[in-house]
Amino acid sequence: MKLQYKVAAIFAANGAIAREVAIELAKEGALVYLSGRNMAEVKSLSEEIRANGDFAKPFQVDATDENQIDLFLKKVVTESGKLDIVFNGIGIRAKDGGYGQPSTSLPFETFMKPIRTHLGSQFLTARIAATYMRQTESKGTILLLTASLSRIKSPFMSGITAACSGIEGLTRTLATEFGMSGIKVICINPTAMPETRTIKETTNENARTMGIPAATMATQLSNGGLLKKPLTTKDTAKVAAFLATDAGATLNSHIVDVDFGTANVI
């Protein structure tokens, strides 16, 4: 078990990606502390992980609330004595972020919502986690999450694209700062995962704007990689677990593309 006795804190654990990351980290032996706004779903995930014989403990946390983040990580460190891995899988609904809406008609507040939620939350959880890692001399790994929108040329996705690009820049800055204390910061950049609710909703919204069948766009997403293989949340979770192990120790400040090879990523 490559992560045995490592302590991991997961934010937005009720989301599709963070859920699989939590399961994968626990399988590799990590003590996983789960958090999310929907306590019922976080508890259900915790029970599922424990049913497999692994460790998980649920907490209700809003990953956009600085005080709640701090209290959660303080509890983790008080109980375990350290903090080795942090992953934040926060996201918003496609309609709330204006996905699929032309920039010329996108309200400014809607444009800013992905930036405040995605980028803002990643900043908060990373900097608070680094504070506790320094205090406990954990020298851990902070995993940020973005999306391939930061690397491709896609219309009608201005707010979330700006947020994703910002997270990549934030990764490099934080890795430089936190590296002085032996803390790694890595950004996972997966392409679209057709199974997730976000991608299904985004596909429908973009197809409506472009006037093409949603099924056509969904097929294009599923066959977009060089290997003509759709990415899954489990694939992404396995990469996250690898990056937190000793085998992934040489990666730091990197933007790690998870996509089976995508032709249109710059």
Side-chain angles (χ1 to χ4, degrees), residues 93-151:
R93 300 293 294 270
K95 59 182 177 60
D96 295 333
Y99 302 177
Q101 190 170 343
S103 298
T104 50
S105 60
L106 185 69
F108 180 69
E109 281 304 311
T110 305
F111 169 80
M112 289 298 298
K113 188 162 187 177
I115 297 172
R116 291 195 182 101
T117 303
H118 286 263
L119 178 56
S121 177
Q122 293 287 349
F123 172 70
L124 288 175
T125 56
R127 77 170 185 180
I128 297 171
T131 300
Y132 284 105
M133 287 179 177
R134 282 171 171 166
Q135 289 178 4
T136 57
E137 299 183 352
S138 299
K139 296 184 178 180
T141 300
I142 299 172
L143 299 173
L144 306 187
L145 178 68
T146 185
S148 58
L149 285 166
S150 63
R151 307 284 185 98

Side-chain angles (χ1 to χ4, degrees), residues 5-50:
Y5 306 126
K6 297 287 187 181
V7 176
I10 309 294
F11 291 92
N14 48 297
I17 301 173
R19 170 187 171 81
E20 291 299 331
V21 170
I23 292 172
E24 192 64 29
L25 294 178
K27 281 182 181 178
E28 291 294 344
L31 307 178
V32 178
Y33 289 82
L34 308 171
S35 72
R37 290 192 300 177
N38 189 321
M39 188 58 173
E41 292 183 5
V42 175
K43 278 185 176 180
S44 177
L45 175 58
S46 178
E47 291 167 1
E48 180 181 339
I49 291 173
R50 291 200 299 266

Side-chain angles (χ1 to χ4, degrees), residues 235-249:
D235 295 324
T236 302
K238 288 182 181 298
V239 172
F242 165 76
L243 293 172
T245 67
D246 291 342

Side-chain angles (χ1 to χ4, degrees), residues 240-258:
F242 165 76
L243 293 172
T245 67
D246 291 342
T250 58
L251 294 173
N252 184 30
S253 79
H254 292 82
I255 312 301
V256 180
D257 294 337
V258 184

Side-chain angles (χ1 to χ4, degrees), residues 188-192 231-232 235-236 239 256-262:
I188 300 172
N189 186 330
T191 192
L231 185 71
T232 69
D235 295 324
T236 302
V239 172
V256 180
D257 294 337
V258 184
D259 56 16
F260 293 117
T262 299

